[in-house]
Amino acid sequence: MSTLVSVQLFIAPGCPHCPGVLQALSELIKVGEIAELDVSNMALLPDKAKALDIRSVPWIKIGPFELTGMHTKSELQTWIQRVGSDSGMRAYLTEQFTSGELQKVIMLVKRDPELLKHFPVLIADKETPLGAKIGIGAVFEELQGNPLIQPLIPALSKLLRSEEPNIRNDACYYLGLTESSDAITAIRTLINDPMEEIRETVHDALSIIQDAQPPVE
């Protein structure tokens, strides 16, 4: 394994799953799959847990991946192997979306806007679950007009050429949510799209951008 992986684990007295996770991680550090394991008792270190916004245990951080609840040794090994890879991060984001962790993803992308670069890839992937695509849309709506999503304009613009109408439609809508005039030219390429729904989205996206522009004095 080329990437040295550090793991943080929070446990608490009476937690039924904590002993199993601790044992699995202890075995993984013994065989060298983990370089470092930091174990904390949430009951004795409440301030440390609060600083990380930990609300339930076991809480596990494997590289950039924050996990909660019971995970088998095999599952933990999978997340260890995903550390440092773009595909691993996309798998993590997908799991968070499909597990109903929308607010967590919003918090993560605000903390690390680089994570947003994975969104166009997930939008374009036919294998991305519907729940994840709905979550992506919710993040864009949360960040409407925020400069954080404007760097995605080039990648989203490329998706307008997709053969899949749903991908074209979603990308067009998200370009509108950037509220950036830099997205107008790309959006207009779909103005004569054969799909009526997409033509309507073009109109809506352009209206969003127009309404967001400062008034001309």
Side-chain angles (χ1 to χ4, degrees):
M1 184 171 57
S2 58
T3 302
L4 293 177
V5 178
S6 296
V7 177
Q8 281 184 281
L9 172 65
F10 274 78
I11 59 176
C15 166
H17 301 307
C18 292
V21 171
L22 177 57
Q23 180 179 346
L25 291 172
S26 298
E27 292 174 2
L28 292 171
I29 196 170
K30 287 177 183 178
V31 298
E33 293 196 42
I34 297 172
E36 181 181 27
L37 176 59
D38 177 13
V39 182
S40 300
N41 188 316
M42 185 176 179
L44 300 177
L45 296 170
D47 291 341
K48 183 177 180 181
K50 184 178 181 181
L52 294 169
D53 196 29
I54 297 172
R55 301 179 183 180
S56 63
V57 290
W59 180 92
I60 315 150
K61 186 173 184 182
I62 301 176
F65 308 133
E66 295 181 10
L67 311 171
T68 56
M70 180 60 193
H71 287 77
T72 65
K73 181 179 177 181
S74 176
E75 290 170 339
L76 295 170
Q77 285 176 304
T78 296
W79 287 113
I80 290 167
Q81 293 163 2
R82 287 171 172 170
V83 172
S85 72
D86 285 344
S87 61
M89 180 53 71
R90 289 193 287 273
Y92 176 71
L93 292 171
T94 296
E95 179 166 304
Q96 297 308 299
F97 280 130
T98 55
S99 299
E101 296 288 348
L102 173 61
Q103 293 305 315
K104 181 177 179 180
V105 175
I106 291 172
M107 177 193 70
L108 289 172
V109 298
K110 287 181 177 179
R111 184 195 304 167
D112 181 10
E114 269 294 300
L115 295 176
L116 289 167
K117 72 178 183 180
H118 299 291
F119 283 24
V121 181
L122 290 171
I123 294 167
D125 189 348
K126 297 178 183 178
E127 301 302 315
T128 299
L130 177 60
K133 292 200 173 185
I134 292 172
I136 289 170
V139 173
F140 272 103
E141 290 172 351
E142 171 71 18
L143 297 178
Q144 178 175 341
N146 192 311
L148 291 180
I149 60 175
Q150 292 179 0
L152 297 180
I153 291 174
L156 291 172
S157 297
K158 291 180 180 179
L159 298 184
L160 300 180
R161 299 193 293 270
S162 172
E163 295 180 357
E164 296 294 324
N166 288 340
I167 294 175
R168 296 200 306 276
N169 194 61
D170 289 347
C172 182
Y173 176 53
Y174 301 148
L175 283 168
L177 293 180
T178 67
E179 295 187 357
S180 172
S181 58
D182 293 339
I184 292 176
T185 299
I187 293 171
R188 283 178 173 164
T189 62
L190 295 183
I191 203 164
N192 294 316
D193 192 274
M195 302 293 294
E196 181 180 358
E197 179 183 359
I198 294 176
R199 297 196 300 270
E200 292 175 354
T201 300
V202 168
H203 178 271
D204 293 341
L206 292 175
S207 295
I208 291 172
I209 294 174
Q210 182 179 0
D211 291 344
Q213 302 311 304
V216 179
E217 298 182 357

